[in-house]
């Protein structure tokens, strides 16, 4: 558990968009995995099994209509400025913009984008984690990326970085 916790937390954070919700999701996942350790340990790919448990746990919470906060409330009073590429604060802003953009995606598209492009899973691994076909992963990921590209919040980040 200790060795996989950081990766599990990153994935949970991208799915939920909020640190405490991510911790809850990761802890719930580990609790379920521990209870079913005999099945997990004998699985061909235990890490894939754990990812699948996380996606299922997140989907159950989403179906229950628990509210997820994927971005801060209002930053309209902040002044926009163009920062250097190596600026850590700018990277935090970019991350916040990404989380806000992910918040605009439906749950399945968000799952596909996070697992494919952030967790860097193959289409097959993503399909196994999501419990769907590879074609569904391709479709959800493509639609999600298209929506992300159309969002002004990410367009501003890309345009600002392009000026440097």
């Amino acid at each position: 558990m200790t060795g996989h916790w950081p990766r599990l937390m990153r994935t949970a954070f991208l799915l939920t968009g909020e640190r405490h919700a991510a911790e809850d999701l990761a802890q719930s996942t580990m609790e379920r995995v521990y209870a079913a350790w005999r099945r997990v340990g004998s699985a061909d790919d235990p890490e894939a099994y754990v990812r699948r448990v996380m996606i299922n746990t997140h989907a159950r919470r989403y179906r229950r209509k628990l509210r997820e906060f994927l971005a801060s409330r209002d930053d309209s009073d902040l002044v926009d400025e163009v920062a250097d590429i190596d600026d850590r604060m700018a990277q935090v802003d970019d991350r916040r913009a990404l989380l806000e953009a992910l918040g605009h995606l439906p749950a399945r598209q968000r799952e596909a984008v996070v697992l494919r492009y952030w967790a860097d899973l193959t289409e097959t691994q993503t399909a196994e984690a999501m419990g769907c076909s590879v074609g569904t992963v391709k479709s959800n990921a493509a639609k999600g990326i298209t929506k992300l590209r159309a969002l002004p919040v990410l367009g501003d980040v890309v345009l600002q970085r392009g000026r440097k």
Side-chain angles (χ1 to χ4, degrees):
M1 179 180 132
T2 305
H4 293 285
W5 185 255
R7 180 180 290 172
L8 199 63
M9 275 298 297
R10 276 192 302 274
T11 303
F13 183 76
L14 288 169
L15 290 173
T16 63
E18 202 268 324
R19 181 177 171 82
H20 298 293
E23 288 173 351
D24 288 345
L25 178 59
Q27 288 172 2
S28 296
T29 299
M30 293 310 285
E31 178 183 323
R32 291 171 196 261
V33 166
Y34 178 77
W37 187 249
R38 224 173 248 165
R39 280 181 277 153
V40 175
S42 64
D44 292 337
D45 186 359
E47 191 172 340
Y49 193 104
V50 172
R51 276 194 302 269
R52 178 68 188 266
V53 170
M54 177 177 278
I55 294 298
N56 288 343
T57 302
H58 179 258
R60 270 192 291 283
R61 288 182 179 179
Y62 182 77
R63 278 194 296 267
R64 288 186 200 145
K65 306 280 189 221
L66 288 179
R67 190 171 172 128
E68 296 176 345
F69 300 101
L70 292 170
S72 57
R73 293 285 182 235
D74 183 24
D75 291 341
S76 60
D77 59 331
L78 296 178
V79 177
D80 289 337
E81 57 185 65
V82 179
D84 292 330
I85 292 174
D86 295 330
D87 184 357
R88 292 285 188 202
M89 291 305 291
Q91 292 172 358
V92 169
D93 291 340
D94 293 350
R95 184 182 185 109
R96 186 173 8 146
L98 174 62
L99 289 172
E100 182 179 337
L102 286 171
H104 288 72
L105 297 180
R108 295 297 279 181
Q109 289 178 12
R110 184 177 347 133
E111 290 169 1
V113 169
V114 166
L115 292 174
R116 272 294 284 133
Y117 301 106
W118 192 282
D120 201 26
L121 299 181
T122 65
E123 290 168 344
T124 304
Q125 291 171 324
T126 303
E128 289 172 5
M130 292 176 63
C132 62
S133 70
V134 172
T136 302
V137 169
K138 288 179 181 182
S139 173
N140 279 317
K143 288 176 185 176
I145 292 295
T146 300
K147 284 184 182 180
L148 289 175
R149 286 182 178 148
L151 291 173
V153 68
L154 285 184
D156 293 343
V157 170
V158 171
L159 286 175
Q160 287 177 1
R161 294 290 170 249
R163 289 185 205 145
K164 283 286 175 178

